[in-house]
Amino acid sequence: PYPAPHFVDEVKNWLLNQSDTLGKNRGERRERLLRGGLKIYTTVDLTMQQEAEDAIRSVFKAQGTDPKDPDAALVSIDPKSGFVKAMVGGFNYFGTHAYRQANLAMGTGRSTGSAFKPIVMAAALEAGVSPSKVFNSPSSTQFKVPGGIWKVKGGGGLGAGTMHECLVVSSNTCFANIILDKQVGAERADDMAKRLGIVSTKLSVSPAMVLGPNNTTVLDVASVYATFANDGVHVPPAFVTKIVGPDGEVIYQHAHSQSKAIEPEIARQVTSA
């Protein structure tokens, strides 16, 4: 066993499948990765990695022994640099269960649930919806949408509230009203999600996306929240900072890149909520 095994697997995956640093084809890259005498410098912080694993164990104490206790994944990103500092991909990579080496923080992802609502709030604010505008937030409601009737439950006990108030209590009915607002819409929400950092999976674009049925990787959602934390500036996640060949030559050096996803004031309003 060695530290951060799911993180290490993701570094290997990037070098073999997503980077031309080690060669023009997978066979060439694999040969150089395994036998090239390389020194690969990564972004992981092993203290934070241990803290991440401990944090999950503190909540799911029976992982691996009680089938009712789910596995969990966790990704921590430095918002300024985009460096992935910790990645937990599941319980006991070196154990005996069937999917031990499947990285739950990556792959095809999991449904985002209410973690998607801040994205819609950002889209609404950018579209010019006033932060003081009040939206209905009943305990249940229904809407006529293309394809039929959309039934929504969960008003957060508000009755009505601003976007900030509705996000605090995670009101489903309020956010359904927000995405259906004539200034917002599902297309704006989809565009906002991509700009903020959801790039690994294709989202199904419909009003229901506000409630988080779409699958998204843990890495991408962490990247979205890192963008909010970075005053609306998106920095793509990175795993490797430098690769040095056997002769001491630097054959790869990470180059920082960033893009302005949203205005700082919008990021701060979402972060505040």
Side-chain angles (χ1 to χ4, degrees):
Y2 49 85
H6 287 108
F7 177 94
V8 171
D9 269 8
E10 191 52 37
V11 170
K12 292 178 183 176
N13 177 62
W14 179 74
L15 287 170
L16 290 174
N17 300 311
Q18 298 166 264
S19 171
D20 292 331
T21 300
L22 303 185
K24 296 179 181 178
N25 57 65
R26 182 181 170 87
E28 203 174 290
R29 294 192 289 266
R30 179 176 175 80
E31 179 69 19
R32 199 166 184 198
L33 175 64
L34 297 180
R35 298 183 177 86
L38 305 175
K39 290 183 179 179
I40 300 171
Y41 297 81
T42 76
T43 60
V44 72
D45 180 320
L46 293 180
T47 299
M48 289 182 69
Q49 177 69 27
Q50 187 61 57
E51 290 171 347
E53 294 172 14
D54 292 345
I56 289 177
R57 272 194 291 269
S58 72
V59 177
F60 298 115
K61 295 179 172 61
Q63 274 190 112
T65 59
D66 185 346
K68 293 180 291 186
D69 225 0
D71 278 4
L74 186 154
V75 173
S76 180
I77 296 175
D78 182 294
K80 297 289 185 187
S81 66
F83 289 175
V84 178
K85 307 303 265 182
M87 172 178 278
V88 183
F91 173 74
N92 197 359
Y93 179 96
F94 299 102
T96 58
H97 59 289
Y99 62 92
R100 63 193 182 281
Q101 293 180 359
N103 189 346
L104 303 183
M106 302 296 292
T108 56
R110 295 293 186 276
S111 56
T112 63
S114 291
F116 199 85
K117 288 173 181 167
I119 296 172
V120 175
M121 180 177 175
L125 289 168
E126 184 179 74
V129 176
S130 171
S132 61
K133 183 173 181 176
V134 174
F135 293 86
N136 288 331
S137 180
S139 59
S140 64
T141 187
Q142 59 183 36
F143 306 91
K144 188 174 182 180
V145 295
I149 300 297
W150 181 30
K151 296 180 179 179
V152 183
K153 295 181 179 180
L158 282 180
T162 64
M163 285 188 283
H164 184 121
E165 292 167 337
C166 289
L167 186 57
V168 168
V169 298
S170 193
S171 168
N172 289 343
T173 55
C174 179
F175 268 86
N177 277 306
I178 293 170
I179 199 169
L180 288 171
D181 187 277
K182 63 182 180 181
Q183 290 181 267
V184 190
E187 294 290 345
R188 281 186 180 275
D190 180 55
D191 175 65
M192 178 60 68
K194 291 172 182 172
R195 279 189 276 145
L196 291 171
I198 294 182
V199 295
S200 301
T201 54
K202 182 176 174 60
L203 303 181
S204 176
V205 182
S206 74
M209 70 192 302
V210 70
L211 304 184
N214 281 298
N215 279 1
T216 308
T217 66
V218 179
L219 177 72
D220 279 9
V221 176
S223 183
V224 167
Y225 280 76
T227 303
F228 287 135
N230 198 29
D231 268 352
V233 176
H234 174 65
V235 183
F239 292 84
V240 176
T241 59
K242 182 171 66 172
I243 301 175
V244 178
D247 58 357
E249 179 188 3
V250 176
I251 60 175
Y252 172 82
Q253 182 74 54
H254 171 71
H256 178 86
S257 65
Q258 63 183 44
S259 58
K260 182 178 179 181
I262 51 175
E263 294 294 333
E265 181 55 33
I266 293 176
R268 291 168 192 166
Q269 287 184 63
V270 175
T271 299
S272 173

